[in-house]
Amino acid sequence: MAYLTITHLEKSFGTTRVVRDFNLAVEKGEFISLLGPSGCGKTTVLRLVAGFEMPSAGSIQIDGRDVTGLRTTQRNIGMVFQAYALFPNLTVAQNVGFGLKVTGVARAEIDARVAEMLRLIGLPDLGGRYPFQLSGGQQQRVALARALAPKPRVLLLDEPLSALDAKIRVSLRQEIRQIQQQLGITTIFVTHDQEEALSMSDRVVVMNGGVAEQIGAPFEIYNRPATPFVASFVGSHTAFDALVVDPGTGTVTLGGAQVTLGQPMSGKAGSMVRLALRPEAAHLGRVAGCETVLDGRIAQVNFMGAIIRLTAMVGDTALTLDTFNRPDTPPPPVGSAVEISVAARDFITLGAS
């Protein structure tokens, strides 16, 4: 049985349904990310698990116990917010030990646990400082330590890195994942940043309009999106309208070339189907193992450091492809004709056009 089970969860505010029939089973020690755009319902799901909101329907179980109707203080959940929410009049040590103090834990035990948490987050000597004396990254570490100090059954993180600059964000997400794995704590992480979700999670829940559109491992979410929304929201892609030639073999005509996808597709011969292609799946020139060769013309060149992102017009479609930066090989100039190779397996079918 899963450690955290969310069943048919619904939440409405007035006549607006924010969460719709949400179901999720989380194993003990698993790191789950709720990923989606603003307003998709991901933070509401987190608040329902935390007990800050009561569901309109559905149930939440933790370790076999139904907690749906329990108050936040009865659920033994740790919460880290986007705004650090540290008490400015308390020292770092007092902030970390606050939850233990209000539950009546003995002073000696609090001191030992606070020291343990400060070592865990790499700030063992800063217990006597106040929040205003810390950097943003340090404050978020303290907020994490405060959430972990009472040994919660589940850790909830609500976009905890979004207020930090890019370099600190990358470093801190690695630290959070390492701490989570070290403690083996069941974790739900809310983010709108796909890179965070894909790099940190055991599984990702992609949400849209209050619905979980797809739940799966990062590799699966990125490479095998289940819906057009997931394909468009996670990563970037070029979408093509292709003419179905043989639905039984998945043969289509695309950009003047015939492509056999190798798997049956819905629709009749002569109908149109929508295909997608990731930038890294398209290659300049003829490449072994790529059955499809498309003729294009370079329309744009964007230098991004290690990667050069090219836009090539293939018929009326602007195809995006990535190529590695090689100092001895400049990218093709704008206006030049190119051949673009693609393996049939790399096309993603999005459904009828």
Side-chain angles (χ1 to χ4, degrees):
M1 183 178 179
Y3 187 73
L4 168 63
T5 306
I6 302 171
T7 308
H8 300 305
L9 200 64
E10 302 256 352
K11 180 62 180 178
S12 297
F13 294 100
T15 59
T16 304
R17 291 174 69 195
V18 179
V19 177
R20 305 163 181 257
D21 195 25
F22 185 90
N23 297 275
L24 180 64
V26 184
E27 299 300 325
K28 187 173 178 62
E30 194 173 15
F31 192 111
I32 299 289
S33 285
L34 304 183
L35 174 67
S38 298
C40 72
K42 57 188 185 295
T43 294
T44 301
V45 169
L46 202 74
R47 291 178 62 82
L48 289 166
V49 174
F52 298 141
E53 303 283 355
M54 289 293 110
S56 305
S59 65
I60 301 167
Q61 289 191 342
I62 300 177
D63 197 15
R65 182 189 182 195
D66 192 325
V67 301
T68 312
L70 298 184
R71 296 190 300 272
T72 301
T73 54
Q74 298 173 304
R75 300 191 185 197
N76 191 17
I77 282 176
M79 185 85 180
V80 180
F81 300 93
Q82 177 179 343
Y84 317 124
L86 299 177
F87 300 111
N89 58 321
L90 301 183
T91 65
V92 166
Q94 290 169 335
N95 266 283
V96 173
F98 182 81
L100 299 171
K101 181 178 179 180
V102 297
T103 55
V105 176
R107 168 51 58 186
E109 187 177 343
I110 293 176
D111 291 344
R113 182 63 174 167
V114 167
E116 179 186 355
M117 289 296 97
L118 291 181
R119 287 195 299 272
L120 183 68
I121 62 171
L123 302 176
D125 301 321
L126 301 187
R129 293 191 182 182
Y130 287 88
F132 75 89
Q133 296 174 306
L134 304 178
S135 68
Q138 289 172 330
Q139 290 185 54
Q140 196 57 286
R141 288 183 181 90
V142 173
L144 176 62
R146 182 178 60 183
L148 292 172
K151 299 181 180 180
R153 294 185 295 178
V154 177
L155 176 65
L156 306 178
L157 303 119
D158 188 11
E159 303 204 47
L161 308 179
S162 59
L164 303 172
D165 67 51
K167 193 170 184 178
I168 294 175
R169 200 159 59 233
V170 170
S171 173
L172 194 51
R173 76 188 184 203
Q174 293 171 343
E175 291 181 32
I176 289 174
R177 180 58 164 148
Q178 183 178 4
I179 290 171
Q180 182 269 336
Q181 290 178 318
Q182 181 178 338
L183 298 179
I185 187 168
T186 307
T187 301
I188 299 181
F189 181 91
V190 163
T191 182
H192 63 271
D193 186 316
Q194 57 183 281
E195 187 175 309
E196 285 181 1
L198 295 175
S199 65
M200 296 176 71
S201 311
D202 295 309
R203 286 188 296 155
V204 178
V205 181
V206 183
M207 294 189 64
N208 181 36
V211 174
E213 294 225 353
Q214 187 173 357
I215 302 173
F219 182 88
E220 178 185 353
I221 293 289
Y222 185 85
N223 290 300
R224 301 184 185 92
T227 69
F229 173 80
V230 176
S232 62
F233 187 79
V234 180
S236 57
H237 72 274
T238 300
F240 293 90
D241 289 319
L243 178 68
V244 177
V245 176
D246 183 353
T249 60
T251 301
V252 300
T253 299
L254 170 68
Q258 187 163 287
V259 182
T260 299
L261 303 178
Q263 56 185 4
M265 60 174 51
S266 58
K268 300 177 180 179
S271 64
M272 301 298 291
V273 67
R274 194 82 164 159
L275 301 178
L277 190 67
R278 299 291 191 192
E280 68 275 13
H283 311 278
L284 283 178
R286 293 180 177 261
V287 176
C290 294
E291 310 91 336
T292 303
V293 178
L294 305 173
D295 293 320
R297 189 169 296 277
I298 298 296
Q300 194 171 16
V301 178
N302 292 313
F303 183 78
M304 302 169 66
I307 296 293
I308 299 175
R309 177 154 292 182
L310 306 173
T311 302
M313 297 305 300
V314 177
D316 295 330
T317 300
L319 184 150
T320 301
L321 64 151
D322 289 342
T323 183
F324 283 111
N325 172 34
R326 295 181 176 85
D328 58 344
T329 308
V334 172
S336 59
V338 293
E339 290 183 321
I340 300 167
S341 298
V342 183
R345 65 180 178 272
D346 289 330
F347 284 103
I348 302 167
T349 303
L350 300 180
S353 177

